[in-house]
Amino acid sequence: MNSKHLNATLVVLLAIFLYHPLHAQSTLTVKSVKASIQGSSTLHAWESQITQITCLGDFQSDNTLLKNIADISVKIPIAGIKSSEGRMMDNKTYEAFKSEEHPYITYTASRAQITTDAAKNTTIKVSGNLTMAGTTKPITVEATGKSLPNGDMEISITRKLKMTEFNMKPPTAMMGTIKVGDEVTVVVSLVLTQAASAAR
């Protein structure tokens, strides 16, 4: 190899070496998930905690910025939904979800659209299928992402849903004098943490 080719090769190798650390991608794993369902009734507002939830996916970041989410799968056991109002409210919730026949809420999506602005604010849009009480419907979810001081990443989701759209009957109590509103709000906070780096 002559000196010209050798110099050209060294320049290319040097460029790759300098470029790679700046653009190495990392795989993220789910560190924690907090979720709740909020709603209203003719008596007062209410909230139920989702105490059990499995969230899986292929999460990729680049320089602490979320770049890709794929193969998203969320599974929530109905039995893990707990209200501060006690067992009566829980039983009404399980009845509305038809939990004996359909014990899980699921959401699946193949890919997310991710955009990041100049201030590094991340917006995430996911179109997938949500199944509740045995009915599956296409649902688009919008979320926001931000980097935390310790290097983790938090994804926040707030999505309104109507129970009747999933053939669910809003719960009632006291001979029908107390009625739960049809619309509920699902709130999710998902924290991702760095796993082993995947060099690309």
Side-chain angles (χ1 to χ4, degrees):
M1 181 180 291
N2 61 37
S3 59
K4 279 188 177 181
H5 288 158
L6 179 60
N7 289 338
T9 302
L10 290 174
V11 168
V12 171
L13 290 174
L14 181 60
I16 292 173
F17 177 78
L18 292 174
Y19 181 86
H20 178 74
L22 296 176
H23 294 268
Q25 289 195 349
S26 298
T27 299
L28 302 170
T29 58
V30 177
K31 183 178 182 179
S32 65
V33 186
K34 292 182 180 180
S36 65
I37 303 173
Q38 302 170 0
S40 63
S41 72
T42 51
L43 186 61
H44 53 61
W46 56 269
E47 181 174 9
S48 293
Q49 299 298 319
I50 299 174
T51 64
Q52 301 174 42
I53 180 170
T54 301
C55 183
L56 302 174
D58 180 15
F59 304 93
Q60 299 291 328
S61 69
D62 190 344
N63 283 348
T64 72
L65 295 178
L66 191 62
K67 287 297 183 181
N68 184 61
I69 305 176
D71 301 325
I72 302 158
S73 176
V74 179
K75 188 174 184 180
I76 300 170
I78 302 300
I81 300 175
K82 302 293 183 181
S83 169
S84 59
E85 300 296 320
R87 184 175 297 178
M88 181 179 293
M89 179 64 178
D90 291 343
N91 289 338
K92 292 290 184 180
T93 298
Y94 305 154
E95 182 181 341
F97 276 103
K98 307 171 188 175
S99 63
E100 289 189 4
E101 298 88 359
H102 309 288
Y104 297 99
I105 300 170
T106 62
Y107 184 75
T108 58
S110 59
R111 190 165 295 278
Q113 298 176 1
I114 301 172
T115 56
T116 304
D117 62 20
K120 296 186 177 181
N121 298 310
T122 302
T123 302
I124 304 156
K125 187 175 182 180
V126 184
S127 295
N129 291 314
L130 176 64
T131 300
M132 299 196 307
T135 297
T136 301
K137 296 185 74 69
I139 293 291
T140 297
V141 175
E142 294 191 2
T144 57
K146 67 176 182 179
S147 296
L148 301 177
N150 64 353
D152 291 345
M153 182 168 295
E154 182 180 33
I155 297 176
S156 300
I157 303 166
T158 301
R159 182 62 159 86
K160 294 183 183 297
L161 298 167
K162 287 189 176 181
M163 287 184 275
T164 52
E165 292 180 347
F166 291 84
N167 299 314
M168 296 170 61
K169 184 178 179 181
T172 61
M174 301 297 290
M175 303 295 291
T177 58
I178 300 175
K179 298 179 179 180
V180 170
D182 185 17
E183 185 175 81
V184 297
T185 302
V186 180
V187 180
V188 180
S189 176
L190 178 72
V191 176
L192 305 175
T193 192
Q194 295 285 341
S197 297
R200 298 196 174 187

